[in-house]
């Protein structure tokens, strides 16, 4: 009986397809949002991984550390002792001669990149609506992040002050 | 023959009162009827109403006098049942708790269904995803051991701990104001977390750990971005975002 109604309704009411190919009828008047965490016998047990919690904690902790690292970095680079005009190859070479500044910059690179990448990851999760868009945006994000982190690390460790 | 009637007619304009408390308002309502059109459209209704009346009274006036096809939910009409949450002038409110004079009746008053849930007709949305999330946090008392012969005692301080979150009426104003919920509807949403909070911090309940584990999910509390939309939307004045943060803190501090 319900099939009869469906045919009649979809034929007569002139409703076009919206959000996919489905036509609405009296029994099914609107596009359906899948109920969250709908549990059927086939649903695998949810993996209650703590990645999201770890990411959340990391954002808070790295944020606090980055405040110190970045503000000091900006002071040294841009404000103290002549400001931005002093920055040159020699200045950078002089600072990276000390392992302390090497570690400082390495820490800043890793924390800032991971902090920013995780922030963008959540932005993509929140705003990208289609799974494919998410996949591509995140792929791009992770590629850029890994590339920048590896390149920066490589430069810090292999920096040669005598390069011609 | 100066009749009292004549006197009264003279006195009326002098008193400086408007003849009537009624003003003309325009309700701009988001209409959707899948049996007529797949598109939702705005429709204006103009009528006279006392500005001290509520938006719900305006909707009743439309439904009873102007257009009987207008569809919306309401049950108690006194801010307790939580049926008539809707987006009024761009903000989630209960139509039965919003006075027309409080929302600038000089301009058209927009009334839309709450966002993030499928609209079934006009202002009626499918609440199933919302209640699914609510059911998932086990919103009931879980205990072990023998049942006491009389009530389960609790100190006033222990009761105070979760007092704020007992006020929830499940109207979905908070969840449907949450931009994270709008995205894919998989986030538990503020209302479910508030109702989990109500039991997690109840000293009589013994399944707090289980509920925390449920909310530790990918779509659990960690998706909260603290935009405070939920706190602003709550018609019961629950500090929703604070409750979510307390659940986050409990997840961290109870484990480490």
């Amino acid at each position: 009986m319900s099939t009869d109604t469906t045919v009649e309704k979809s034929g007569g009411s002139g409703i076009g397809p919206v959000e996919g190919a489905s036509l609405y009828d009296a029994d099914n008047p609107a596009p359906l949002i899948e109920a969250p965490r709908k549990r059927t016998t086939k649903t695998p047990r949810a993996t209650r991984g703590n990645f999201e919690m770890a990411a959340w904690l990391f954002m808070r902790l790295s944020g606090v550390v980055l405040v110190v690292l970045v503000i000091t970095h900006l002071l040294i680079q841009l404000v103290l002792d002549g400001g931005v005009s002093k920055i040159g190859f020699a200045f950078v070479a002089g600072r990276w001669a000390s392992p302390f500044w090497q570690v400082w910059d390495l820490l800043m690179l890793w924390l800032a990149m991971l902090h920013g990448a995780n922030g963008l990851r959540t932005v993509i999760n929140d705003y990208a609506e289609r799974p494919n868009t998410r996949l591509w945006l995140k792929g791009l994000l992770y590629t850029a992040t890994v590339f920048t982190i590896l390149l920066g690390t490589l430069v810090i460790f292999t920096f040669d002050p005598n390069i011609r | 023959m100066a009749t009292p009637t004549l006197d009264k007619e003279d006195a009326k304009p002098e008193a400086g009162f408007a003849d009537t408390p009624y003003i003309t308002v325009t309700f701009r309502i988001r209409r959707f009827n899948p049996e007529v059109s797949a598109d939702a459209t705005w429709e204006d209704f103009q009528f006279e109403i006392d500005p001290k009346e509520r938006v719900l009274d305006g909707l009743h006036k439309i439904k009873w006098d102007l257009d009987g096809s207008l569809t919306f939910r309401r049950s108690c009409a006194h801010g307790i049942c939580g049926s008539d949450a809707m987006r009024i002038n761009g903000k989630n409110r209960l139509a039965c708790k919003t006075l027309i004079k409080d929302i600038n009746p000089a301009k058209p008053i927009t009334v839309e269904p709450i966002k993030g849930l499928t609209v079934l007709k006009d202002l009626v949305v499918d609440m199933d995803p919302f209640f699914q999330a609510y059911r998932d946090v086990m919103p009931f008392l879980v205990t072990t051991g023998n049942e006491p012969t009389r009530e389960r005692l609790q100190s006033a301080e222990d009761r105070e701990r979760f007092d704020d979150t007992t006020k929830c009426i499940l109207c979905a104003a908070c969840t449907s104001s949450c931009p994270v919920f709008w995205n894919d509807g998989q986030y538990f949403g503020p209302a479910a977390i508030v109702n989990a909070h109500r039991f997690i911090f109840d000293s009589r309940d013994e399944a707090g750990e289980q509920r925390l584990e449920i909310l530790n999910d990918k779509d659990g509390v960690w998706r909260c971005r603290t935009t405070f939309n939920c706190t602003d939307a709550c018609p019961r004045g629950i500090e929703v975002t604070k409750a979510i943060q307390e659940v986050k803190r409990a997840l961290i501090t109870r484990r480490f």
Side-chain angles (χ1 to χ4, degrees), chain A residues 9 13 15-16 18 24 26 29-37 39 46 48-50 52-53 56-57 122 125-129 134, chain B residues 34-36 38 116-120 129 132-133 136 180 183-186 188 213-214 216-219 222-223 225 248 252 255-256:
Chain A
K9 284 280 177 190
S13 61
I15 302 170
V18 177
Y24 314 132
L32 288 175
I33 294 180
E34 183 81 355
R37 298 165 294 281
R39 296 210 179 91
R48 297 258 150 82
N50 282 7
E52 288 297 326
M53 179 174 80
W56 186 87
L57 256 184
T122 58
N125 275 344
D126 284 356
Y127 285 95
E129 289 185 4
R134 272 188 198 193
Chain B
E35 290 170 13
V36 172
L117 296 160
T118 305
V119 180
L120 299 179
Q132 180 64 49
D136 279 354
V180 179
N183 177 34
D184 55 6
Q186 299 300 302
F188 270 86
E213 198 47 58
I214 290 168
N216 199 15
D217 187 274
K218 182 165 84 63
D219 293 309
W222 307 115
R223 283 196 82 180
R225 307 274 173 265
K248 282 184 191 169
I252 301 235
R255 277 140 198 267
F256 300 110

Side-chain angles (χ1 to χ4, degrees), chain B residues 137 187-198 215 220-221 224 243-244 247:
Chain B
V137 300
Y187 173 45
F188 270 86
I193 299 172
V194 157
N195 285 283
H197 177 284
R198 183 247 171 275
L215 291 177
V221 287
C224 170
I244 299 175
V247 173

Side-chain angles (χ1 to χ4, degrees), chain A residues 27-79:
Chain A
D27 296 330
N28 220 0
L32 288 175
I33 294 180
E34 183 81 355
R37 298 165 294 281
K38 201 175 197 175
R39 296 210 179 91
T40 61
T41 46
K42 279 185 230 161
T43 315
R45 222 186 104 63
T47 50
R48 297 258 150 82
N50 282 7
F51 177 73
E52 288 297 326
M53 179 174 80
W56 186 87
L57 256 184
F58 171 78
M59 288 306 264
R60 270 78 201 157
L61 300 178
S62 65
V64 170
V65 178
L66 274 171
V67 165
V68 178
L69 290 177
V70 171
I71 288 184
T72 315
H73 177 82
L74 287 178
L75 273 177
I76 291 171
Q77 300 280 323
L78 305 178
V79 181

Side-chain angles (χ1 to χ4, degrees), chain B residues 106-178:
Chain B
K107 284 191 192 160
I109 293 165
T110 63
V111 183
E112 299 162 73
I114 46 180
K115 286 177 64 165
L117 296 160
T118 305
V119 180
L120 299 179
K121 189 182 178 191
D122 291 346
L123 304 174
V124 173
V125 297
D126 177 10
M127 299 281 278
D128 278 357
F130 174 79
F131 284 115
Q132 180 64 49
Y134 174 61
R135 279 192 290 270
D136 279 354
V137 300
M138 307 197 296
F140 39 80
L141 187 77
V142 178
T143 58
T144 53
N146 295 329
E147 253 181 63
T149 44
R150 308 186 74 175
E151 72 267 40
R152 297 174 195 274
L153 293 176
Q154 184 170 47
S155 71
E157 296 79 55
D158 283 348
R159 176 63 178 72
E160 186 59 32
R161 180 69 191 84
F162 61 91
D163 183 65
D164 201 34
T165 44
T166 60
K167 299 179 202 157
C168 179
I169 55 173
L170 293 171
C171 65
C174 58
T175 294
S176 61
S177 74
C178 175

Side-chain angles (χ1 to χ4, degrees), chain B residues 13-249:
Chain B
E14 281 174 356
F17 278 31
D19 287 355
T20 154
Y22 289 74
I23 57 163
T24 305
V25 295
T26 307
F27 270 39
R28 184 161 291 167
I29 296 177
R30 191 77 173 156
R31 303 293 305 269
F32 172 66
N33 183 351
E35 290 170 13
V36 172
S37 163
D39 299 320
T41 49
W42 293 101
E43 189 173 350
D44 282 10
F45 294 94
Q46 227 171 25
F47 52 91
E48 297 209 318
I49 196 166
D50 187 333
K52 295 189 290 299
E53 299 250 51
R54 305 156 302 167
V55 171
L56 183 65
D57 297 310
L59 293 174
H60 278 153
K61 207 170 170 59
I62 295 169
K63 182 162 179 73
W64 294 340
D65 299 346
L66 302 174
D67 182 352
S69 71
L70 179 68
T71 310
F72 56 91
R73 283 199 184 102
R74 73 105 172 81
S75 191
C76 77
H78 291 81
I80 289 299
C81 71
S83 301
D84 63 349
M86 45 191 80
R87 201 169 159 84
I88 299 165
N89 276 0
K91 196 175 168 234
N92 282 2
R93 317 171 208 237
L94 294 183
C96 58
K97 282 183 89 173
T98 310
L99 298 189
I100 286 172
K101 70 182 175 67
D102 293 338
I103 50 169
N104 189 14
K107 284 191 192 160
I109 293 165
T110 63
V111 183
E112 299 162 73
I114 46 180
K115 286 177 64 165
L117 296 160
T118 305
V119 180
L120 299 179
K121 189 182 178 191
D122 291 346
L123 304 174
V124 173
V125 297
D126 177 10
M127 299 281 278
D128 278 357
F130 174 79
F131 284 115
Q132 180 64 49
Y134 174 61
R135 279 192 290 270
D136 279 354
V137 300
M138 307 197 296
F140 39 80
L141 187 77
V142 178
T143 58
T144 53
N146 295 329
E147 253 181 63
T149 44
R150 308 186 74 175
E151 72 267 40
R152 297 174 195 274
L153 293 176
Q154 184 170 47
S155 71
E157 296 79 55
D158 283 348
R159 176 63 178 72
E160 186 59 32
R161 180 69 191 84
F162 61 91
D163 183 65
D164 201 34
T165 44
T166 60
K167 299 179 202 157
C168 179
I169 55 173
L170 293 171
C171 65
C174 58
T175 294
S176 61
S177 74
C178 175
V180 179
F181 185 77
W182 292 339
N183 177 34
D184 55 6
Q186 299 300 302
Y187 173 45
F188 270 86
I193 299 172
V194 157
N195 285 283
H197 177 284
R198 183 247 171 275
F199 285 100
I200 290 169
F201 293 94
D202 187 336
S203 60
R204 297 164 295 187
D205 187 83
E206 290 168 33
E209 188 55 38
Q210 243 173 299
R211 291 193 189 86
L212 284 175
E213 198 47 58
I214 290 168
L215 291 177
N216 199 15
D217 187 274
K218 182 165 84 63
D219 293 309
V221 287
W222 307 115
R223 283 196 82 180
C224 170
R225 307 274 173 265
T226 55
T227 52
F228 283 89
N229 280 18
C230 47
T231 305
D232 289 342
C234 182
R236 307 279 294 168
I238 301 171
E239 294 176 288
V240 184
T241 314
K242 187 181 168 199
I244 299 175
Q245 295 305 103
E246 282 176 358
V247 173
K248 282 184 191 169
R249 191 183 304 156

